[in-house]
Amino acid sequence: FAMQLISGLNETTARDRLIAGRLLQYLQGDSLALRTLAIYEMERLTGGRQNYFPNSDASRRRDAVNRWQKAIDRNGGTLLP
């Protein structure tokens, strides 16, 4: 999946619930590189970042991930409606 992030997601994959779940996992993960790739693609596709910054402390990232989760929930479990 990391290679898919590097090459870029498209609107079809952005409407996949499994992809949204994986991206949220990456935002919460230990790897700065994966967090950065995930938020880059999420922002590119949605136009927003929910105030998520991959190098923020864990508490701030957790709050931003909660905002992302709510946005994804509003879209029926996907990045894009």
Side-chain angles (χ1 to χ4, degrees):
F1 183 70
M3 291 305 294
Q4 193 175 10
L5 280 178
I6 291 169
S7 61
L9 301 176
N10 58 40
E11 288 190 22
T12 301
T13 54
R15 290 185 173 92
D16 184 323
R17 289 175 184 223
L18 295 175
I19 297 295
R22 179 68 60 92
L23 289 168
L24 285 173
Q25 288 175 347
Y26 279 7
L27 293 183
Q28 298 173 70
D30 293 332
S31 170
L32 176 60
L34 289 178
R35 292 194 311 260
T36 301
L37 279 172
I39 194 59
Y40 174 81
E41 281 300 297
M42 293 169 85
E43 183 176 21
R44 186 181 66 77
L45 289 163
T46 67
R49 64 182 307 124
Q50 303 294 338
N51 206 28
Y52 180 92
F53 296 94
N55 57 348
S56 292
D57 64 63
S59 175
R60 288 179 189 251
R61 289 195 321 266
R62 187 173 34 257
D63 291 343
V65 168
N66 288 335
R67 289 189 290 275
W68 269 111
Q69 182 66 65
K70 288 177 185 174
I72 288 169
D73 290 346
R74 284 191 302 270
N75 287 338
T78 63
L79 281 178
L80 297 176

